Each structure stands twice: as structure tokens, then as C-alpha cells.
Amino acid sequence: MRILGIESSCDETAAAVVTLVRGRCAVLSSVIASQVETHAKTGGVVPEVAAREHVGAIMPVIEQALADAKLSLKKIDAIAVTRGPGLITSLRIGVDVARILSYLLKKPLVGVNHLEGHLYASWLPSVNRPVRSVFRFPILTLIVSGGHTELVLMRKHLQYRVLGVTRDDAAGEVFDKVAKMLDLGYPGGPAVSKLAFEGNSQAIVFPRPMIDSDDFDFSFAGLKTAVRYHIQKLKSRTRAIDADICASFEQAVVDVLVAKTIRAAKKYKVTAVLLGGGVAANRRLREELGEAVKKELPKVSYEPPDLAYTTDNAAMIAAAGAFHAQAKHFTVWNKLEADPNLGL
Ligand code: KG4
Ligand code: ZN
């Protein structure tokens, strides 16, 4: 089965072609037109600007994805598109294009939840692991992105139980805000983690909110405020001081994420721990979660997604769409609606 995936929920316009054969995905192409340079000028995404950029980019990106896959639209078995959550003005561009293509070419259409995409990124092969494991259920995935921090339990394909969510800021959002406090630019996550690499993660003891709470929710607003107060109290700043702040902040976030993920993995006796979302690109998180799984749950498999599929992309949308298509979860073109608040 060959699926064309389309993603436009925030500030990346993306298209990809993915195949699903006997439970395994392969990526024939994955194209992303990033708006990072545009939004860096305003220090964040301006929805109206993002939508305009999607309009200009979406058809060339789809054409490129098909060309890279050496396929024409006629050879595609189904079209999968992100229908939410995200910015409504951005989502609608992808959804409208997918609807039109589905109507004109009489191709089945699948609406995909963006978070499902981040979950199914783990099913995509990576450079280091060309053949992904076929994971056994139950599976626990930690989704950490710019808008979400969620622990999701899957007992079978396409079935999700959200065990915990953030009560305030998402993990990626606090990375972006701390980057702003330190004038590190947009997007903040990669900048903070790059500088953190030079710093001492034990230099400052920032709070680890809700690390011991007996639920699986998160809260990062208090940590963000602690970082702000710490910066405000400083008489002067150097690159080394900022690096210590980044490393200590990053360590606090990672400690909370790892502790809660391990606790949930134990409670629900999962066989695999997976990661998804932009913050899954964070090296400290990838490594420390891996070490914790190895130490505390030696029989549980841990395979972080390829870096290419952590931040927003369409291959992950096509992968989730492929499993939906296999289950015949299609929507008629004029019934598919973008939903900015769609939950799992
Ligand atoms: O999944 P994503 O591309 O978009 C959303 O669905 O939100 O995630 C973007 C988020 C941003 O907040 C960005 O700062 C963060 O992921 N991010 C990182 C890293 N790379 C991206 N956060 C920490 N460390 C990174 N290396
Ligand atoms: Zn995302």
C-alpha cells in the first residue's frame, strides 16, 4: 500500500510517500519546506503568515515528494492528511488540498491526528536501523512537542489511552521560552540543547515539578518561572553562565520526563517504550531515557525515532495514515474537517 502524507498543522509544509507491507513501513520520499527563517524574524509563528507560506509551498512540496518517490498521483493508494490539532489557518491548507486531490483523483482519504503521527514516527525505519522492529503491544510513548506533553498507552494499533498530559506549558514550549529569556532565537529547543552541551547540568538546582506525584501529568510552568527568576537575579551573564542555565534546565525537564515514563512503563507492564515529537530530538532525553529503560526495565525495548522524524514531517502522517487505510478508516472528501483542538 502506497500512501501520500500531507502535513501543514503549524509552520512546516510537508509531503511524503510511505509504503506499508506486512506491518512494516518504508519511506519512499519525505519533503519538508520549513518556515523557520520567516518565523525567526518575529520570534514565533504568526498564524496568518504561516498560512500564506503553506499556500505557496504545498503543491511544489507534494510534487517533489512524488518525484522523489518516482510515482505519479495515480499510483498512490490513499491520501493521508493532518486534520488537527494545530493552527486552524495552517491545517485548512493541507486539508483542502487533500480533499481536492481525493475528489479529482477518486483516491481514498484518511484524516490523521497530528499526535498519532508523532506516535507512528516510531514505525518508520531510520538510517541506523533500516528495518524497524515490529513492536509488541502494550506500548508506551512519550510525546513531547511544542504543543503537547503526553504519555500514551497503546494496547493495539490505532487505539490510544492518554495516561497523562501537561497541565500548563508543553515541554517544547518551555524550551522555546527559556531560549527567548536567553536571547537564543527561534526555535529555542535546538539552541538551548546545543548550548547545554557546553554547560554543567548540576550547576543550578531547578525544581522538578510533579516528579513524585502519583499521576502521570506534567507541569512545566513553575520550572520556567524558576529559570526566569534565576536569570533576573544575575548581575552579569556570560556564555558559560548561560550554558550552565541551559544544561541545568534541560536536566530538570529530562529528569521529570524520564521518571514519569519509567513509572508508567512499570505500572502498565509495557513491552516497548517509544518517543515522539520535536523534543524527542533532544540528545539528553534520548540517551537518559534509554539508560533508564535498560537499567530498570531490561526486557523492555526502547527505540527512539530517527531524528528526521521527530520534528514535524509528513512521513509520520503517512505512516499513521497507512495503518488507518489498512483498517479502511476512510472519510469522504467533503466530510473531512480540520479540527484545531482534536484530541487523541
Ligand atoms: O513536534 P514539533 O516539530 O512541533 C509540534 O508539533 O509542536 O516540535 C517542535 C518543538 C519546539 O518547541 C522545539 O523547540 C522543540 O520541539 N525541539 C527541541 C529540540 N528540537 C526541537 N527541544 C529540545 N531539544 C531539541 N533538540
Ligand atoms: Zn508536531
Side-chain angles (χ1 to χ4, degrees):
M1 190 180 348
R2 289 183 286 243
I3 307 291
L4 170 68
I6 300 172
E7 154 67 35
S8 72
S9 66
C10 188
D11 58 345
E12 322 276 8
T13 321
V17 180
V18 164
T19 60
L20 176 63
V21 180
R22 284 187 290 279
R24 289 187 197 272
C25 291
V27 182
L28 302 191
S29 65
S30 180
V31 178
I32 303 171
S34 175
Q35 305 176 3
V36 155
E37 278 179 30
T38 307
H39 301 304
K41 289 177 203 143
T42 42
V45 179
V46 177
E48 177 58 33
V49 176
R52 237 181 295 143
E53 295 233 344
H54 282 307
V55 171
I58 197 151
M59 287 320 293
V61 163
I62 291 172
E63 285 198 314
Q64 190 62 51
L66 291 165
D68 290 355
K70 299 190 175 53
L71 285 175
S72 68
L73 264 172
K74 279 195 193 123
K75 293 271 162 56
I76 294 292
D77 296 306
I79 299 166
V81 63
T82 307
R83 73 176 193 95
L87 300 169
I88 184 66
T89 40
S90 287
L91 287 165
R92 287 199 62 171
I93 315 297
V95 167
D96 283 349
V97 166
R99 281 164 51 134
I100 293 164
L101 291 177
S102 165
Y103 172 75
L104 291 176
L105 296 155
K106 313 230 172 332
K107 298 287 179 191
L109 184 60
V110 181
V112 174
N113 184 312
H114 182 78
L115 298 177
E116 264 186 311
H118 281 308
L119 288 168
Y120 274 92
S122 290
W123 271 261
L124 294 169
S126 62
V127 180
N128 300 330
R129 216 184 277 267
V131 178
R132 282 300 263 185
S133 310
V134 173
F135 306 115
R136 281 186 305 117
F137 294 99
I139 294 168
L140 178 73
T141 303
L142 171 68
I143 303 179
V144 268
S145 71
H148 294 84
T149 306
E150 301 196 359
L151 273 168
V152 182
L153 181 70
M154 286 170 76
R155 293 198 185 276
K156 56 185 199 171
H157 275 300
L158 308 173
Q159 253 194 22
Y160 316 107
R161 179 168 163 204
V162 178
L163 304 179
V165 296
T166 181
R167 296 189 180 172
D168 38 58
D169 295 22
E173 200 177 343
V174 271
F175 268 93
D176 294 336
K177 286 178 180 164
V178 167
K180 226 173 202 169
M181 293 175 206
L182 295 172
D183 308 309
L184 294 176
Y186 170 88
V192 168
S193 66
K194 194 163 163 233
L195 192 52
F197 207 61
E198 297 172 24
N200 172 6
S201 63
Q202 312 299 319
I204 308 145
V205 182
F206 286 126
R208 272 110 173 114
M210 295 184 73
I211 195 165
D212 292 319
S213 69
D214 46 9
D215 54 19
F216 296 112
D217 280 349
F218 300 91
S219 163
F220 291 109
L223 170 59
K224 178 185 67 185
T225 308
V227 175
R228 176 169 291 125
Y229 285 159
H230 181 87
I231 295 169
Q232 280 170 356
K233 274 194 265 154
L234 291 172
K235 292 199 177 64
S236 64
R237 274 174 41 209
T238 61
R239 185 178 172 91
I241 288 173
D242 285 0
D244 281 349
I245 294 171
C246 287
S248 303
F249 155 75
E250 187 181 75
Q251 189 66 59
V253 175
V254 168
D255 283 353
V256 175
L257 294 174
V258 170
K260 294 226 141 164
T261 305
I262 295 292
R263 210 172 317 131
K266 284 182 180 165
K267 176 164 180 190
Y268 292 95
K269 299 188 173 47
V270 300
T271 51
V273 170
L274 305 176
L275 254 182
V279 185
N282 185 275
R283 192 162 148 184
R284 195 186 302 266
L285 175 61
R286 292 168 80 89
E287 288 179 1
E288 295 198 6
L289 184 55
E291 283 160 19
V293 171
K294 208 161 141 193
K295 185 165 160 249
E296 301 205 34
L297 300 156
K299 290 196 183 127
V300 171
S301 48
Y302 168 72
E303 286 186 29
D306 192 286
L307 286 178
Y309 308 127
T310 53
T311 45
D312 291 349
N313 65 89
M316 67 182 197
I317 302 303
F323 283 94
H324 275 300
Q326 193 172 253
K328 305 254 182 299
H329 294 167
F330 299 122
T331 309
V332 182
W333 72 274
N334 58 358
K335 292 276 187 295
L336 188 79
E337 298 288 348
D339 179 353
N341 303 313
L342 190 66
L344 265 178

